[in-house]
Amino acid sequence: MTNTKKRLLTGLQSSGTLHIGNYFGALKPFLDIYQDYDSYLMVADYHSLTSLRDPEELRKNVYNVVRDYLAVGVDPEQVVIFRQSDNQDHMELAWVFNCLVTVPFLMQAHSYKDKVAKGLEPNAGLFTYPMLQAADIALYDIDVVPVGEDQRQHIEYTREAVGKFNRAYNDLLREPEEMILSGVGVVPGTDGQKMSKSYGNTIPLFGTREEIKKAVMSIVTDSEGDIPENVYAIHKLLRTEEELAPIYNEHKGRYGDLKNILVEDLETLIAPMREKRESISDEIVESVLAAGKKKAQEKSSETIDKVRKAIGIR
Ligand code: ADP
Ligand code: TRP
């Protein structure tokens, strides 16, 4: 039987210790769809090099990202999980794209401007970052790229690079579409603002029971009514409104009780993932990456061979 599934790829950079905002906003939406596609999950370590110069941390981050995805339930048999730096075809196609797009075009990239505005060094790698991302995608003949809203422009840049290539040479490469993962919208933190590691208002995704409890107890409940809004907003991610109605009715106004119930519900979600994560050794990660490397190279080598012929190299 021929495989008629569409092809999907997304790239991951380590974002440190994950929180439940990351889970409901990014990981869970990915879990919900990846098996419907011929899927690739790539750890973008060369992209991280644009801002990270600690070799040990760079290496550790790769392992941690893979571990996080395996722990939340991504099945490595159903998706090719691989490391960008394990496949030099990415570097080669990125260069080809760099020779097709212009400096003024790259200067318009929001993410470049944002990062420089935040004080990151404007190194040339950061500047050409979108062309490496375009190569990540075009090499695997990808139809859809699930990403957060912040990455929309990078997929537009990919289409532009691919379009330029196709017009300059043969119509060889596929133009991908972004698939914006909206998840559940914005998950609020313990202070009611967007949950974010930069605000110190997170509930850690792989936290111990004590850590979860500490975070939940710190949820700000200065509302006057029967329902502590910030508690309810997080609870809603775990149970339906129908399930919550009798609970919130029974414990009306007793915020402490409701927080304790939330701790239990979070523990039910988190404990199995936390335990799974602890059981994933470096060796397991390495064997997943080794298998992924082989499959990724198999696919990308077809593309890069055609590209080389088309541009007149070898
Ligand atoms: P942080 O804000 O903690 O630095 P990141 O920017 O590293 O998080 O986010 C990684 C992914 O998790 C992104 O795809 C983002 O959309 C998602 N995400 C992060 N925080 C939230 C949140 N509070 N609600 C929903 N999704 C979130
Ligand atoms: N730039 C993406 C981010 O910061 C990561 C990434 C690298 C990516 N290559 C990709 C995402 C290819 C999608 C497709 O999140």
Side-chain angles (χ1 to χ4, degrees):
M1 212 176 77
T2 54
N3 188 351
T4 54
K5 282 185 179 173
K6 286 195 170 181
R7 307 170 66 78
L8 172 156
L9 176 139
T10 196
L12 312 165
Q13 280 188 259
S14 168
S15 68
T17 307
L18 297 181
H19 52 72
I20 66 163
N22 299 132
Y23 178 73
F24 288 103
L27 288 105
K28 175 103 184 350
F30 177 79
L31 272 179
D32 290 342
I33 56 151
Y34 79 100
Q35 286 171 321
D36 299 336
Y37 296 85
D38 198 354
S39 289
Y40 290 75
L41 202 52
M42 184 199 75
V43 189
D45 54 350
Y46 271 137
H47 274 123
S48 300
L49 194 60
T50 58
S51 59
L52 183 62
R53 280 189 196 143
D54 178 333
E56 189 46 34
E57 202 179 330
L58 189 70
R59 193 200 69 84
K60 243 179 33 208
N61 284 348
V62 173
Y63 283 66
N64 281 333
V65 178
V66 174
R67 221 175 245 126
D68 290 338
Y69 272 75
L70 295 176
V72 298
V74 169
D75 175 358
E77 299 292 321
Q78 302 284 327
V79 51
V80 179
I81 302 179
F82 71 103
R83 175 165 46 192
Q84 189 179 37
S85 63
D86 272 339
N87 187 350
Q88 293 307 310
D89 294 345
H90 294 248
M91 290 295 125
E92 188 169 349
L93 187 57
W95 178 256
V96 175
F97 286 152
N98 276 331
C99 296
L100 286 163
V101 297
T102 66
V103 169
F105 171 70
L106 290 176
M107 265 162 42
Q108 303 304 315
H110 308 311
S111 78
Y112 176 72
K113 289 191 280 192
D114 292 350
K115 285 175 182 166
V116 174
K118 277 193 197 142
L120 251 73
E121 175 190 80
N123 62 57
L126 196 61
F127 186 63
T128 59
Y129 180 117
M131 292 304 104
L132 179 55
Q133 185 158 347
D136 298 339
I137 298 166
L139 275 175
Y140 301 93
D141 204 17
I142 293 302
D143 298 289
V144 284
V145 186
V147 281
E149 183 60 46
D150 63 316
Q151 293 293 314
R152 183 191 290 277
Q153 195 192 36
H154 282 156
I155 315 308
E156 288 164 7
Y157 270 48
T158 301
R159 280 198 293 275
E160 179 68 19
V162 165
K164 283 209 154 167
F165 181 95
N166 285 344
R167 286 190 294 279
Y169 303 103
N170 311 342
D171 241 333
L172 270 186
L173 303 176
R174 188 186 295 276
E175 288 193 15
E177 291 293 326
E178 61 275 18
M179 177 197 269
I180 303 297
L181 294 178
S182 52
V184 287
V186 176
V187 175
T190 52
D191 57 359
Q193 291 187 78
K194 174 188 183 255
M195 188 177 290
S196 168
K197 62 178 176 294
S198 0
Y199 302 153
N201 63 356
T202 64
I203 299 178
L205 181 58
F206 300 109
T208 60
R209 191 194 178 86
E210 293 68 44
E211 286 163 343
I212 299 168
K213 183 153 186 164
K214 187 160 169 250
V216 170
M217 291 307 155
S218 78
I219 295 176
V220 177
T221 52
D222 51 11
S223 48
E224 295 279 297
D226 294 336
I227 292 181
E229 276 171 39
N230 293 337
V231 177
Y232 189 79
I234 294 170
H235 227 152
K236 237 176 30 184
L237 301 166
L238 305 165
R239 293 193 193 227
T240 64
E241 294 187 24
E242 290 71 36
E243 284 172 333
L244 289 177
I247 299 171
Y248 276 72
N249 200 25
E250 190 187 332
H251 299 272
K252 221 183 259 177
R254 292 203 298 278
Y255 294 179
D257 291 1
L258 291 166
K259 282 184 171 179
N260 279 321
I261 298 167
L262 178 58
V263 171
E264 292 315 313
D265 286 345
L266 281 166
E267 177 70 3
T268 304
L269 170 77
I270 289 175
M273 300 198 290
R274 184 178 66 219
E275 282 154 26
K276 172 123 192 240
R277 195 174 191 286
E278 277 159 14
S279 75
I280 301 169
S281 61
D282 280 3
E283 289 69 33
I284 293 178
V285 172
E286 280 156 15
S287 80
V288 166
L289 288 175
K293 171 179 176 172
K294 198 160 162 277
K295 289 188 197 151
Q297 286 178 343
E298 255 165 44
K299 181 66 198 166
S300 72
S301 65
E302 292 170 16
T303 310
I304 206 75
D305 283 350
K306 286 193 263 179
V307 166
R308 283 182 192 143
K309 274 203 196 93
I311 62 179
I313 287 183
R314 274 181 258 179

